[in-house]
Amino acid sequence: MEAELSKIESEARAAIESAGSEEALAAADNQFLGRKSGKLSAVLKGLRDLPADERSRVGQKANEIKAALEALIAERRQKLSGAALAGRLEKERLDLTLPAASHFRGSLHPLVQADRKMRAIFTRMGFSIASGPECEFEYYNFEALNIPHDHPARDMQDTFYLAPGVLLRTHTSPVQIRTMEKRKPPVRIIAPGKVYRRDSDQTHSPMFHQIEGLWVDEGVTFADLKGVLGHFFRELFGSEARLRFRPSFFPFTEPSAEADLSCVFCGGKDSRCGVCKGSGWLEVMGCGMVDPRVFAFVDYDPEKYTGFAFGFGVERIAMLLYGVPDLRLFTDNDVRFLEQY
């Protein structure tokens, strides 16, 4: 029996030391020390058949061998675990010199980008930015701008009224009146913001954005207006951009004009251009000299001061700037469209 124990110990040590993985070590552990089928466990179960003096001696040796093998297995398991960890760390090692994984980054909405470009051009020309409420009184939206009570713009079908005498502003011109009430000339401002009109199609929206401008001082002329707008559009569309002015009518300016921009798509040279319809020009804004009757509402002396005003839709200019054919693309929230900007 003692010889058999020595043989089992030798075989077990060889199997444990040669185990190249934790799985192989577990198999050796089960083969020699397993409770049900282990070789050493089988010897221990046969001790009851030995004489008392031999049973004590053999049992003691068997327990010593078991303790030694368990210690050897624990030591081998620690080595294998450490080697496996070192291999995994080497295999999964991060190269910190590689560039980081890229992530999707959002961007500003194209209308915001266009609006910021336009604001920047005007501020470089000395204009300050003014703001006012979107929920406005009729007085500021119409009356103080020389728009009488019987004017079609006050029709319920054209304007969003919230209460008698209160409406969603139809343009940012009320900001001009509010600014002139508080400040004496010189006044040089732009008034960007949201405006609301009952209109919706391929080139119109019930809510859109405007930038209106006002310059009031002594000796301001229509030539100054042409110079400011000409510089603005050349900065925005390039040095080849040209403007022309056509006589028009607005209640709060006199004389008034519509400004046309040379077609940014064909340069005014393609009679087949589908954007300008072969005319070479695109209508972009209204403008004019401030009507002296408007000055009366803000206590400006029309004999001393003159000024000009202008206004255009941000969406309209952005459509030309980015070549967008349909205004509704700006508000459809189609990621395929927005990610281009």
Side-chain angles (χ1 to χ4, degrees):
M1 182 71 74
E2 291 183 45
E4 185 178 355
L5 284 175
S6 297
K7 181 181 178 182
I8 291 173
E9 181 181 8
S10 298
E11 293 177 354
R13 284 182 177 276
I16 292 168
E17 291 173 356
S18 64
S21 66
E22 293 189 50
E23 291 77 11
L25 182 62
D29 186 3
N30 186 61
Q31 179 183 359
F32 294 99
L33 299 179
R35 290 187 177 184
K36 293 184 178 181
S37 57
K39 292 183 178 181
L40 188 60
S41 299
V43 172
L44 292 174
K45 290 177 182 178
L47 289 177
R48 61 178 177 268
D49 299 328
L50 298 175
D53 57 338
E54 187 178 353
R55 183 167 63 239
S56 175
R57 188 176 65 255
V58 172
Q60 181 179 355
K61 184 174 182 179
N63 286 329
E64 290 175 355
I65 292 174
K66 181 180 180 182
L69 292 178
E70 287 177 343
L72 186 62
I73 288 173
E75 182 182 354
R76 185 61 180 168
R77 180 176 289 115
Q78 185 176 3
K79 289 182 179 180
L80 290 174
S81 178
L85 177 60
R88 190 167 69 252
L89 290 175
E90 179 62 27
K91 183 179 179 180
E92 300 174 3
R93 183 171 61 90
L94 295 177
D95 187 350
L96 299 181
T97 65
L98 292 175
S102 61
H103 296 280
F104 175 79
R105 297 180 64 185
S107 61
L108 293 174
H109 192 280
L111 288 181
V112 175
Q113 295 184 42
D115 180 80
R116 291 189 177 183
K117 286 182 181 179
M118 290 183 267
R119 292 188 190 207
I121 295 171
F122 282 118
T123 53
R124 288 197 296 268
M125 287 192 284
F127 286 81
S128 60
I129 297 175
S131 61
E134 295 175 26
C135 179
E136 190 56 275
F137 293 110
E138 269 190 328
Y139 173 80
Y140 290 104
N141 198 80
F142 294 129
E143 188 175 338
L145 290 165
N146 199 37
I147 300 176
H149 285 278
D150 57 354
H151 194 281
R154 298 200 182 200
D155 198 311
M156 291 288 288
Q157 273 68 43
D158 296 326
T159 305
F160 293 108
Y161 278 86
L162 305 177
V166 181
L167 66 153
L168 294 176
R169 66 185 182 188
T170 60
H171 44 190
T172 58
S173 299
V175 178
Q176 300 178 16
I177 300 298
R178 289 178 175 273
T179 301
M180 287 190 287
E181 282 184 337
K182 300 174 183 177
R183 292 165 52 181
K184 295 300 181 184
V187 174
R188 192 190 307 185
I189 63 165
I190 57 169
K194 302 184 189 74
V195 297
Y196 305 84
R197 298 179 188 176
R198 193 179 181 278
D199 207 352
S200 181
D201 56 35
Q202 187 173 345
T203 57
H204 297 86
S205 172
M207 187 280 287
F208 59 101
H209 300 78
Q210 270 193 343
I211 292 181
E212 296 202 9
L214 173 72
W215 188 348
V216 178
D217 201 351
E218 297 183 40
V220 175
T221 68
F222 200 94
D224 296 311
L225 170 62
K226 292 175 65 177
V228 166
L229 296 182
H231 177 76
F232 168 76
F233 282 104
R234 285 191 296 273
E235 285 284 296
L236 196 60
F237 291 101
S239 59
E240 299 301 316
R242 293 175 294 121
L243 277 183
R244 74 174 184 183
F245 295 84
R246 294 178 287 106
S248 186
F249 169 77
F250 300 106
F252 36 85
T253 54
E254 181 59 37
S256 301
E258 295 279 0
D260 298 334
L261 175 68
S262 55
C263 183
V264 296
F265 296 95
C266 72
K269 300 175 182 178
D270 188 352
S271 60
R272 297 168 297 176
C273 178
V275 179
C276 67
K277 305 297 188 295
S279 68
W281 297 95
L282 301 169
E283 181 181 320
V284 290
M285 67 188 311
C287 58
M289 302 301 293
V290 179
D291 194 307
R293 284 177 290 186
V294 172
F295 285 153
F297 288 97
V298 294
D299 293 327
Y300 280 13
D301 184 356
E303 297 297 325
K304 182 178 181 181
Y305 299 111
T306 56
F308 64 74
F310 58 85
F312 55 83
V314 173
E315 285 83 349
R316 171 66 170 163
I317 303 300
M319 289 175 70
L320 301 178
L321 190 61
Y322 299 127
V324 176
D326 192 327
L327 179 77
R328 291 167 289 193
L329 287 171
F330 288 124
T331 53
D332 282 346
N333 289 329
D334 189 330
V335 176
R336 295 170 300 176
F337 170 76
L338 296 176
E339 67 184 2
Q340 298 178 57
Y341 304 93

